[in-house]
Amino acid sequence: MWGESLSLALPAVLALLLLCAAANDLHDRTIANGLNIAIALLAPVYWWASGLAPWPDMAIQLGLGVAVFAVFAGVFMLGGMGGGDVKLLGALALWLPLLAIVQMLLVMSIIGGVLTLAMLAAHKLRRASTELEIPYGVAIAAAGLWVITERYFNQFT
């Protein structure tokens, strides 16, 4: 009973944390470490509530999270992404199976590209001399929200 209730409530908590991350990134151009830690630490609770076996299911989820973090840490080192974005992606990947991670990354790329083009156009129109910073946490959060809610809205086929 507790497991079923938690497996329904925890994605809602994740959604709220993603909304907070997006809002923080929009406002401050940072994503608080506390949000990323909370997302990461709630993932094993979600695994347990969802009935995942420690081996191999939980190990696979942990491996996926580490792999996503490692790939985007490389992007960070090349200057293509902020550290908070990398941590958010790694923490979010702990919640998602492989196919959902791929879908999330695809949606994130599309939203991030549109966001970047819009901000670049606005930056040019304002003739701003400051460096443009893209709040990519918005794209990550939107894609994460899309993936975690998609299964609830895709019931009517």
Side-chain angles (χ1 to χ4, degrees), residues 3-129:
E4 289 178 30
S5 298
L6 277 175
S7 69
L8 294 174
L10 286 172
V13 172
L14 174 61
L16 290 173
L17 292 171
L18 289 172
L19 289 171
C20 289
N24 283 352
D25 204 18
L26 269 174
H27 186 263
D28 301 330
R29 296 299 191 265
T30 61
I31 300 171
N33 284 335
L35 284 171
N36 291 325
I37 290 169
I39 291 169
L41 290 179
L42 285 172
V45 178
Y46 178 68
W47 302 342
W48 171 79
S50 299
L52 294 184
W55 185 262
D57 300 332
M58 291 183 188
I60 290 170
Q61 285 306 127
L62 183 59
L64 288 170
V66 169
V68 167
F69 179 82
V71 166
F72 285 97
V75 173
F76 168 77
M77 288 192 295
L78 295 172
M81 183 173 269
D85 300 330
V86 172
K87 290 178 269 188
L88 181 59
L89 279 166
L92 182 55
L94 291 170
W95 288 73
L96 306 173
L98 180 58
L99 181 58
I101 290 172
V102 172
Q103 291 172 334
M104 188 264 305
L105 293 174
L106 178 63
V107 171
M108 176 195 78
S109 298
I110 293 167
I111 294 170
V114 170
L115 177 65
T116 300
L117 289 174
M119 290 190 70
L120 182 60
H123 194 72
K124 295 287 185 187
L125 287 173
R126 285 192 317 258
R127 300 176 197 252
S129 59

